[in-house]
């Protein structure tokens, strides 16, 4: 009995000793001893992740050095690398378009997938247009993934990668945090250099080979004037080139920026015709092996980019009338003939809809307001939030529309329904020179609490299924609703999350 007691105490002591070692990070846990195998998509993701992971594992890059990341597609050998990795880090599916198709590969290999832009909203891939309900607004769903080219946003990507790595490997939190803080200090210094230099710019516009520097421009108060779109292989029209030549000449632009790793024929042609010089502005999608061997990295190349930009921003002209800021006179933007307007049935708005009003107060739309303030420079982010809070304000949280029936559900959960008849449309003219069409409906059952008069506006002027809409409702008259310009309750599909709605808003 005594021997059993001694043996039992010995086992308890050993267990306690092993537990203490494990707590102190020196145990034999397989997860703690294992060196992590982390694969990243292209260079910036590699650089960011490597600085976070440090000596905790190996970090490799899937897209070969010097390869154009836009055109990359994984080979069979790459798929094996992906499947063997513990973690895969990528920027965004608008850049690494092939990532969503790799779901089976990731699942089969039990690979943790980290998206560096997980909690970020992306700008439209087209020209930035505003959507203020009384002025022109644009429509584009292609999203710009080049967030890493703004040091301020690179900081956010690094934090996101760190947080997701800690969530996967909580026992490594201390080392990931220490490594990240050291790297963030360097990125913050870079960000301050950009703010100090570009904040004092007298020349705000710069001409680039392709539209990779939109976030850099927005974050630091500049205007990017791209020759082509998001892809460097996209060729501009003859009209676009003629406009750019005039813009460069009229605004005394002395430099056009091109990419060392991409074909520069278009940029070179424009530079020769306009009589200006070419300078490199590196999008950092893939450094060459030679650059990496020479010790170049994200911070050094971005410092070189800042030096190159400095040559343009110290010019005397402000170049405010950028050709990239011109807005097309499309139907969506409010430019149309009366003969184009067609009647529309209530079924165009059928479905289950949610008010966006709650997402203003809970902060979901804060990134939207921040971008609007930086792009338009006519209001602060706080002023934009107040503007939209007043515009979206409503007590009707949900609307159900089926055939000719509308059901309104308020914040108390009360339902009010009626069949509605079509009552024509109203055409409104705005001070910006554009117009809008509101489609009018009237309740058939006016004694059950449903709104007697309703108007829809969704920027369409002929039958088409609405993706979202602004709605005006009341019990006085259609004329009273038509005069309402300050409050425009807005609804999106009830299936969308607040973040998805915010991204949709930013894409318009």
């Amino acid at each position: 009995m005594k021997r059993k007691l001694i043996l039992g105490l010995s086992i308890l002591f050993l267990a306690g000793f092993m537990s203490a070692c494990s707590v102190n990070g020196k145990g034999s846990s397989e997860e703690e001893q294992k060196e992590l195998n982390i694969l990243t998509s292209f260079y910036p993701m590699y650089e960011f992740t490597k600085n976070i992971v440090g000596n905790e594992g190996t970090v490799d890059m899937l897209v070969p050095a010097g390869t154009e990341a836009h055109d990359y597609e994984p080979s069979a050998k790459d798929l094996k690398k992906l499947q063997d990795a513990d973690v895969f880090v990528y920027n965004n599916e608008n850049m690494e378009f092939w990532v969503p198709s790799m779901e089976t590969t990731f699942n089969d290999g039990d690979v943790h997938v980290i998206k560096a832009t997980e909690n970020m909203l992306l700008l439209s891939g087209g020209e930035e247009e505003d959507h203020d309900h009384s002025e022109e607004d644009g429509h584009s769903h292609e999203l710009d993934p080049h967030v890493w080219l703004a040091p301020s946003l690179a900081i956010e990507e690094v934090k996101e990668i760190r947080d997701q790595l800690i969530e996967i490997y909580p026992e490594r939190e201390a080392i990931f945090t220490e490594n990240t803080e050291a790297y963030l200090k360097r990125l913050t210094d870079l960000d301050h250099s950009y703010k100090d230099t570009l904040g004092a710019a007298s020349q705000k516009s710069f001409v680039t080979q392709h539209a990779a520097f939109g976030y850099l421009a927005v974050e630091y108060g500049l205007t990017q004037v791209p020759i082509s779109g998001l892809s460097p292989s996209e060729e501009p029209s003859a009209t676009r080139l003629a406009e750019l030549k005039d813009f460069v000449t009229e605004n005394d632009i002395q430099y056009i920026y091109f990419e060392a790793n991409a074909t520069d024929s278009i940029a070179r042609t424009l530079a020769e015709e306009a009589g200006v010089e070419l300078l490199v502005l590196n999008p950092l999608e893939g450094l060459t092996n030679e650059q990496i061997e020479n010790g170049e990295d994200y911070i050094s190349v971005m410092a070189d980019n800042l030096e190159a930009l400095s040559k343009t921003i110290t010019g005397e002209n402000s170049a405010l009338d950028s050709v990239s800021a011109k807005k097309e006179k499309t139907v969506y933007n409010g430019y149309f003939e009366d003969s184009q307007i067609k009647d529309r049935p209530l079924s165009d708005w059928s479905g289950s809809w949610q008010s966006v009003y709650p997402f203003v107060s809970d902060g979901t739309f804060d990134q939207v307001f921040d971008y609007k303030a930086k792009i338009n420079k006519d209001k602060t982010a706080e002023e934009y939030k107040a503007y939209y809070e007043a515009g979206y304000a409503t007590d009707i949280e949900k609307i159900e529309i089926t055939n000719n029936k509308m059901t309104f559900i308020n914040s108390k959960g009360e339902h009010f329904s009626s069949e509605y008849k079509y009552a024509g449309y109203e055409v409104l003219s705005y001070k910006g020179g554009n117009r809008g069409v509101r489609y009018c409906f009237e309740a058939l059952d006016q004694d059950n609490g449903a709104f007697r008069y309703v108007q829809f506006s969704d920027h369409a002027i002929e039958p088409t299924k609405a993706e979202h809409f602004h709605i005006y409702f009341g019990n006085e008259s259609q004329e009273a609703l038509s005069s309402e310009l300050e409050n425009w309750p807005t609804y999106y599909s009830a299936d969308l999350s607040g973040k998805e709605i915010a991204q949709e808003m930013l894409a318009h």
Side-chain angles (χ1 to χ4, degrees):
M1 181 70 181
K2 187 175 181 180
R3 290 180 59 192
K4 288 183 180 180
L5 178 60
I6 293 173
L7 179 61
L9 290 173
S10 297
I11 292 173
L12 287 173
F13 174 80
L14 182 60
F17 176 76
M18 294 299 291
S19 176
C21 288
S22 177
V23 169
N24 288 299
K26 299 178 181 179
S28 60
S29 165
E30 180 182 349
E31 192 61 65
E32 291 182 320
Q33 293 296 321
K34 177 183 176 183
E35 184 180 75
L36 301 179
N37 174 21
I38 299 179
L39 193 61
T40 63
S41 54
F42 65 112
Y43 179 74
M45 300 303 103
Y46 165 80
E47 167 95 356
F48 297 164
T49 306
K50 185 175 177 59
N51 277 280
I52 297 168
V53 172
N55 296 325
E56 291 297 291
T58 60
V59 179
D60 291 317
M61 187 166 50
L62 193 62
V63 179
T67 301
E68 171 52 58
H70 286 275
D71 301 328
Y72 169 81
E73 291 188 41
S75 64
K77 184 179 179 180
D78 293 333
L79 295 182
K80 181 65 168 61
K81 288 182 181 178
L82 283 167
Q83 200 167 48
D84 290 343
D86 297 313
V87 178
F88 173 65
V89 181
Y90 76 108
N91 181 61
N92 186 277
E93 58 275 8
N94 285 274
M95 183 73 182
E96 301 97 319
F97 64 89
W98 44 269
V99 168
S101 65
M102 297 291 107
E103 184 175 357
T104 300
T105 300
F106 295 137
N107 289 339
D108 290 346
D110 196 23
V111 182
H112 298 284
V113 179
I114 291 177
K115 179 178 176 180
T117 58
E118 181 63 42
N119 291 302
M120 298 172 68
L121 299 182
L122 301 188
L123 293 172
S124 166
E127 297 171 3
E128 282 103 358
E129 307 286 357
D130 189 30
H131 186 181
D132 65 3
H133 308 277
S134 61
E135 301 290 340
E136 309 164 55
D137 47 75
H139 187 61
S140 172
H141 286 286
E142 186 182 10
L143 302 178
D144 183 353
H146 298 84
V147 293
W148 67 88
L149 287 169
S152 57
L153 299 181
I155 289 172
E156 297 307 313
E157 287 201 282
V158 168
K159 291 179 180 178
E160 183 64 39
I161 296 170
R162 174 202 62 194
D163 292 346
Q164 292 191 48
L165 279 172
I166 289 174
E167 186 175 348
I168 299 168
Y169 303 106
E171 71 281 357
R172 303 176 194 254
E173 179 177 359
I175 189 65
F176 288 161
T177 300
E178 182 179 353
N179 291 343
T180 301
E181 288 306 311
Y183 188 53
L184 286 178
K185 184 180 185 305
R186 298 177 62 204
L187 287 177
T188 300
D189 289 343
L190 179 67
D191 175 44
H192 288 163
S193 294
Y194 266 75
K195 287 177 179 175
D196 293 343
T197 303
L198 301 181
S202 55
Q203 163 64 276
K204 298 293 186 181
S205 294
F206 62 101
V207 180
T208 61
Q209 181 170 316
H210 93 280
F213 299 90
Y215 291 97
L216 186 156
V218 168
E219 290 293 305
Y220 300 104
L222 303 181
T223 299
Q224 173 186 234
V225 184
I227 298 174
S228 60
L230 290 179
S231 171
S233 61
E234 180 183 332
E235 294 193 3
S237 65
T239 301
R240 175 68 176 176
L241 284 174
E243 287 181 332
L244 283 167
K245 180 184 176 183
D246 291 341
F247 173 76
V248 168
T249 302
E250 292 170 5
N251 291 285
D252 196 26
I253 301 293
Q254 297 298 314
Y255 302 96
I256 291 176
Y257 296 97
F258 74 103
E259 300 165 26
N261 296 336
T263 303
D264 65 351
S265 58
I266 300 295
R268 191 169 297 279
T269 298
L270 178 60
E272 289 175 354
E273 291 185 359
V276 300
E277 296 182 44
L278 283 175
L279 284 178
V280 171
L281 204 57
N282 196 326
L284 275 154
E285 291 167 11
L287 296 187
T288 64
N289 285 319
E290 182 180 0
Q291 287 174 305
I292 294 174
E293 289 171 2
N294 289 338
E296 295 185 50
D297 58 15
Y298 174 85
I299 290 177
S300 69
V301 173
M302 286 301 294
D304 290 342
N305 281 347
L306 178 58
E307 183 178 353
L309 276 173
S310 298
K311 295 180 181 297
T312 288
I313 63 151
T314 54
E316 294 181 0
N317 294 337
S318 61
L320 296 177
D321 187 22
S322 167
V323 294
S324 68
K326 293 182 179 178
K327 301 177 182 180
E328 295 183 41
K329 292 188 175 183
T330 62
V331 170
Y332 189 89
N333 290 343
Y335 296 92
F336 49 82
E337 301 296 330
D338 288 347
S339 59
Q340 295 176 267
I341 306 172
K342 308 296 181 185
D343 292 320
R344 297 175 65 184
L346 184 59
S347 58
D348 274 6
W349 297 275
S350 63
S352 298
W353 306 92
Q354 62 176 318
S355 167
V356 301
Y357 182 48
F359 300 123
V360 178
S361 56
D362 70 7
T364 302
F365 289 172
D366 283 356
Q367 283 187 62
V368 177
F369 305 139
D370 184 56
Y371 272 130
K372 282 185 172 291
K374 289 175 178 176
I375 292 170
N376 299 319
K377 302 180 180 66
D378 58 343
K379 297 183 182 74
T380 65
E382 292 74 18
E383 289 171 337
Y384 263 112
K385 184 168 185 174
Y387 169 73
Y388 279 94
E389 192 163 26
Y392 291 153
T394 181
D395 186 47
I396 302 300
E397 293 188 345
K398 297 179 181 178
I399 299 176
E400 303 281 346
I401 303 176
T402 306
N403 297 322
N404 291 319
K405 182 179 181 180
M406 274 193 277
T407 300
F408 300 91
I409 305 170
N410 65 21
S411 57
K412 298 178 181 179
E414 299 171 328
H415 292 56
F416 306 95
S417 300
S418 175
E419 296 282 334
Y420 282 80
K421 67 177 181 180
Y422 180 56
Y425 57 79
E426 297 279 347
V427 180
L428 280 68
S429 296
Y430 303 126
K431 62 181 180 181
N434 57 330
R435 301 191 298 166
V437 178
R438 293 193 191 175
Y439 287 90
C440 308
F441 295 86
E442 296 182 1
L444 296 178
D445 307 317
Q446 297 189 0
D447 297 324
N448 63 358
F451 297 107
R452 295 185 177 184
Y453 305 101
V454 175
Q455 294 181 357
F456 289 93
S457 173
D458 60 4
H459 313 285
I461 62 172
E462 61 183 6
T464 187
K465 184 68 177 72
E467 295 182 355
H468 75 280
F469 58 84
H470 316 295
I471 190 170
Y472 308 80
F473 36 67
N475 296 315
E476 185 178 342
S477 65
Q478 294 289 3
E479 290 75 15
L481 293 184
S482 297
S483 65
E484 177 57 74
L485 299 174
E486 303 298 326
N487 178 236
W488 12 266
T490 301
Y491 293 78
Y492 277 76
S493 170
D495 294 331
L496 297 176
S497 68
K499 180 186 174 183
E500 288 172 328
I501 294 172
Q503 184 62 82
E504 284 290 310
M505 290 174 61
L506 206 55
H508 282 72

